[in-house]
Amino acid sequence: MTHIPPPAEELRLLDLELRRLDARRAQLLHRRAWLVRALHAAAPPAPAPVAPPRPEASAPRVQNVLLLLGGVLLTVAAIAFTLVSWGELGIAGRALVLGAVTVAVLAAPVPLLKRGLRSTAESVAGLGLALTVLDAYALHEAALTGTDATGYTAVASAALAALWAAYGLLPRASALRLPRPAALMAAQLPLVLGAVAFDAGPYGVTLAMLVTAACDGAVALRGPAGPVRRTAVVGACGLGVPGAWAAGWLSWTATGPSAAARAAALLLLAAGVALTAARHPSAERQAGGLAVAVGLLTVAAIGGTVRSALPALWTVPAYLACGIALLAVTRWARLPRAVRRGLVHASAAVQGLALLWTLPLVAVALTGPAAWIERVWAGAPAGTRAAVTADVPWPPYSGTVPVVLVAVAGVLVLAREAVGRARALTGALVLGWATALVLPPVLDVPYAVGLAALGCLTAGALAASAWPRTPERPSPLHLTATVLALLTTLPLVLLSLAGQGATLTVTAVLTALFAAASWTPRSAPVTAPAALVYATALVCASGAAAGWRPQDTAVLVLVAPVAAALLAARLGDTARATVPVEVTGAAAALLAFGLAAVPGDLPMLALVLALCGVIASGTALRPGRRPVAFAGTALFVLAAWVRLAAWDVGTPEAYTLPVSVPALVVGALGRRRDARVSSWTAYGPGLAATLVPSLLAAWGDTHWVRPLLLGLAALALTLLGARHHLQAPLLLGGAVLALDALHELAPYIAQVTDALPRWVPPALAGLLLLAVGATYEQRLRDARRVRDFLGTMR
């Protein structure tokens, strides 16, 4: 009987069997994966798929090239036939050949289009259009040889344009893209060539160009998009721009109101075409540029008409008035916003060109008086213009420059909200300053009045830079006013060089003005140094007027460094004007050096150096200027040296001891504050400054006094260094003592050397080497002890 286990036992057996099957399956799958990897590793890599070769030219491109080449070859053949074989045929044969070939070629594109061969149809149509040109040429050569070539070309181009346009509009040929642009290209010639043929003159030719450009513009605005519109745009620009330039040139060179009016009519025609295009919705992106062209053409038209009736002096103001009048047109609300913005830009361009015209006169007013540097106090001229243009020519037609500057400044003030208040006021300030600068030479006022006007301009600019006093930091308007005040002083001082009294008065007034402006902290960083500069100039001018020598004037110039030091101490280290004031004072001190050194007066130079040392020492008393003490010490030392040189003192100790003693005192004070300071740092420079020059002098001295004193001093330094355990005095004193003793024993050594036989020095050297070798280790121990002993010293 079959044994059937209980259900629980049977379930346990089934689970056990399933686990065995899962384990076996996992083992087999692992083995399979290993075999697959082994096979892939042993098999050679499969070749990468090779992409099919890419054709270098697509089928449509090949087709277009072939069609184009075929059309060119047929056109060449037609030209050859017309030029070579045409004369062998009679009138009837010629007409038959021309008509048959042209009609056949022009009719061929229709069936080609029905079959879908568009490219072929376009090529054949192009050949047909070329044949019509050859037909026109053949007609002129066969039957109309006596006609004018230019007139015939105008008529033929008009006929061809009409024929090509009609051909392109035929129901069955309307799908062709070539005839209508070709007709538009041919239409560019009839009016221009007709004007040339009828000898219409420059006005007629320009009118023809502008009318043709207007027609092109109409086609570009209302014609269909595609090749026709692009061709129209090219034609409008190609004829409109040269036509506008030609009209502008005719207006500029017009010699009378009639010619100017005709040129103005041409310019207004071009402006009307551009305005129409700018207002059209399809030209929204180009509206700004077209509006600028409209504004410039209108200004050229009206300004040229007004110019022809005015003197040449008022040419630029006339154009400027027209440019400013454009701003009134921009208030017309019916104009698109882009057009109004373009008119504003055109007005700005006209005003900018007018300002460029004023620059030569402004430059002459600023830099022209520089010629008086070579003619100091040679005598003041009668008028300001002669003083300004001493060596430079007066710019022609510059009498209306102030009018231009004032007009543009007024526009900026009125349009300050649109331009920006700060920028507008700054620009108006600059233009007003330029007007006041050029007005005296333009009016040719007397010399004294011109100086007074420039002085008032300087005072006004300084007042503008100092008002109001509430903001601490300068605004762009304040900075501009300060810079303009400084620029005004340039021609003012240069013009004052013509007379002695003028120089003294101008420098004194400028010193007072800039000193008064320095009370405003905002302007002090610029005005305070300027006041010192002009004070220095006043001192120099006063010395020259009094007949003083330059070295005498140098002492008086030191008033500026003294004032700078006192003012800097009064301002404090936190003020922004402190450093500029101190730099200006240092520059004045250098000027004093130069004035004292040029004549070679050594006592006066020593006095100037000593006074500068006093000033530097006083400056060093301020907490933030301690390093200036080194400069003061150097100045004192230089003053002492120069004074000794003036006394013809040749003893080096007289020059070195004034340096060594202060250096040793400073070193002693430093070691007292900080005991860690090395003796080399504290005493080394001071000792070396005297010992080394004295030792060099002793070696060249034939007497015994200097070597004896130097030896005693070196011995004392050596003993002091040993007593206080200081390296610098010990080693420097010992080295100098040894070299000094060697110098004293050198003659006796030389005598002994001459008396000894020649074999004695080598024998002594050998004995020395033997002794050193025998006691080598003992010498090393002694050297270490000396090194350790010196290491304990400071």
Side-chain angles (χ1 to χ4, degrees):
M1 294 179 64
T2 303
H3 175 69
I4 300 175
E9 182 65 18
E10 185 177 3
L11 181 61
R12 185 182 67 79
L13 295 174
L14 289 176
D15 290 339
L16 180 61
E17 190 65 26
L18 288 174
R19 282 195 297 271
R20 291 176 180 174
L21 291 175
D22 291 338
R24 183 59 177 170
R25 176 180 174 81
Q27 182 181 4
L28 294 175
L29 289 175
H30 180 71
R31 179 63 179 176
R32 182 182 181 280
W34 182 85
L35 292 174
V36 169
R37 288 196 300 268
L39 289 175
H40 280 297
V50 180
R54 185 178 180 181
E56 296 183 0
S58 60
R61 183 174 299 179
V62 173
Q63 179 186 6
N64 293 334
V65 171
L66 294 176
L67 292 175
L68 178 62
L69 183 59
V72 170
L73 292 177
L74 289 175
T75 303
V76 171
I79 294 173
F81 173 78
T82 304
L83 296 177
V84 177
S85 302
W86 183 255
E88 300 178 0
L89 300 176
I91 298 297
R94 297 173 184 176
L96 181 61
V97 170
L98 282 175
V101 173
T102 304
V103 170
V105 174
L106 290 177
V110 176
L112 293 174
L113 288 174
K114 289 182 179 181
R115 296 187 178 184
L117 302 176
R118 175 178 295 274
S119 299
T120 306
E122 295 286 351
S123 300
V124 175
L127 177 60
L129 299 181
L131 287 176
T132 56
V133 176
L134 293 175
D135 292 343
Y137 170 74
L139 178 62
H140 178 269
E141 293 297 322
L144 302 174
T145 54
T147 60
D148 179 57
T150 305
Y152 178 79
T153 304
V155 174
S157 58
L160 289 175
L163 176 63
W164 293 349
Y167 178 68
L169 294 175
L170 290 176
R172 296 183 178 181
S174 59
L176 295 174
R177 291 177 295 180
L178 184 60
R180 281 173 289 179
L184 192 59
M185 293 175 61
Q188 310 299 311
L189 301 177
L191 288 180
V192 178
L193 294 180
V196 175
F198 284 100
D199 197 13
Y203 291 93
V205 175
T206 304
L207 177 62
M209 295 173 67
L210 294 176
V211 170
T212 305
C215 297
D216 290 333
V219 175
L221 295 176
R222 300 185 178 275
V228 175
R229 178 172 294 181
R230 290 193 293 269
T231 305
V233 170
V234 172
C237 296
L239 289 178
V241 174
W245 275 107
W249 179 254
L250 292 174
S251 175
W252 181 256
T253 57
T255 56
S258 176
R262 286 183 290 166
L266 295 175
L267 288 170
L268 291 176
L269 173 61
V273 173
L275 180 61
T276 303
R279 298 186 62 183
H280 199 272
S282 62
E284 183 178 0
R285 298 176 58 184
Q286 294 81 20
L290 291 172
V292 172
V294 170
L296 295 178
L297 290 172
T298 305
V299 169
I302 302 176
T305 305
V306 176
R307 176 196 62 82
S308 63
L310 295 175
L313 186 68
W314 293 94
T315 297
V316 176
Y319 283 103
L320 177 62
C322 297
I324 295 174
L326 279 180
L327 297 176
V329 180
T330 59
R331 298 183 178 273
W332 189 21
R334 296 183 60 183
L335 289 175
R337 184 177 180 181
V339 175
R340 283 182 287 171
R341 189 184 301 113
L343 293 178
V344 171
H345 292 165
S347 176
V350 174
Q351 296 177 57
L353 292 174
L355 291 179
L356 286 177
W357 174 74
T358 65
L359 289 182
L361 182 59
V362 176
V364 168
L366 270 178
T367 62
W372 291 103
I373 296 176
E374 299 177 354
R375 311 172 187 176
V376 178
W377 298 350
T384 305
R385 182 178 298 183
V388 169
T389 58
D391 281 341
V392 294
W394 181 256
Y397 307 116
S398 57
T400 54
V401 167
V403 177
V404 172
L405 294 172
V406 170
V408 179
V411 171
L412 287 176
V413 172
L414 295 176
R416 59 184 178 275
E417 299 300 333
V419 178
R421 184 179 181 84
R423 287 185 293 179
L425 293 180
T426 302
L429 177 63
V430 173
L431 294 176
W433 167 81
T435 304
L437 180 68
V438 302
L439 198 58
V442 168
L443 298 179
D444 198 13
V445 299
Y447 173 76
V449 177
L451 289 181
L454 290 177
C456 294
L457 179 59
T458 304
L462 288 175
S465 67
W467 185 87
R469 300 185 63 181
T470 49
E472 288 294 331
R473 299 193 65 82
S475 65
L477 186 63
H478 297 139
L479 290 176
T480 303
T482 305
V483 172
L484 293 179
L486 291 176
L487 284 177
T488 310
T489 60
L490 175 64
L492 177 57
V493 173
L494 292 176
L495 284 176
S496 69
L497 295 178
Q500 184 182 102
T503 303
L504 296 175
T505 303
V506 166
T507 51
V509 170
L510 290 178
T511 302
L513 285 177
F514 281 97
S518 301
W519 287 102
T520 303
R522 181 177 57 238
S523 304
V526 178
T527 56
L532 290 174
V533 169
Y534 288 116
T536 305
L538 175 61
V539 169
C540 294
S542 301
W548 292 355
R549 299 178 303 169
Q551 56 268 36
D552 299 330
T553 306
V555 179
L556 192 59
V557 169
L558 293 179
V559 174
V562 172
L566 295 176
L567 181 59
R570 174 71 177 80
L571 293 173
D573 296 337
T574 59
R576 292 185 295 114
T578 302
V579 175
V581 166
E582 291 176 338
V583 171
T584 308
L590 290 176
L591 176 62
F593 294 161
L595 291 175
V598 169
D601 191 346
L602 295 181
M604 189 61 68
L605 178 60
L607 176 61
V608 171
L609 290 171
L611 293 176
C612 290
V614 172
I615 298 171
S617 301
T619 303
L621 295 177
R622 292 164 49 196
R625 296 294 184 267
R626 299 299 187 197
V628 184
F630 295 104
T633 304
L635 289 171
F636 282 128
V637 171
L638 288 175
W641 287 356
V642 172
R643 193 64 193 178
L644 290 173
W647 289 338
D648 295 330
V649 175
T651 304
E653 288 78 11
Y655 295 90
T656 57
L657 286 177
V659 179
S660 297
V661 172
L664 293 174
V665 171
V666 172
L669 294 176
R671 277 186 61 84
R672 179 173 295 181
R673 289 198 189 100
D674 187 3
R676 294 174 298 177
V677 177
S678 172
S679 62
W680 289 104
T681 304
Y683 306 119
L687 294 175
T690 296
L691 292 177
V692 174
S694 298
L695 180 62
L696 295 176
W699 272 75
D701 197 347
T702 58
H703 301 284
W704 58 273
V705 179
R706 182 189 299 275
L708 177 61
L709 295 177
L710 179 61
L712 293 176
L715 178 60
L717 285 175
T718 305
L719 295 176
L720 286 174
R723 172 67 178 80
H724 296 284
H725 298 278
L726 298 175
Q727 286 186 7
L730 177 63
L731 295 182
L732 286 176
V736 171
L737 180 60
L739 292 175
D740 186 63
L742 181 62
H743 170 265
E744 293 302 311
L745 294 176
Y748 302 102
I749 295 173
Q751 293 176 4
V752 172
T753 304
D754 292 337
L756 291 176
R758 293 181 179 270
W759 54 267
V760 174
L764 293 176
L767 292 175
L768 178 62
L769 292 176
L770 290 175
V772 170
T775 59
Y776 180 73
E777 294 183 359
Q778 183 63 33
R779 300 286 81 74
L780 287 178
R781 285 193 296 269
D782 295 340
R784 292 192 189 98
R785 292 195 190 97
V786 173
R787 184 192 63 186
D788 296 338
F789 175 73
L790 292 176
T792 59
M793 295 183 178
R794 299 292 296 176

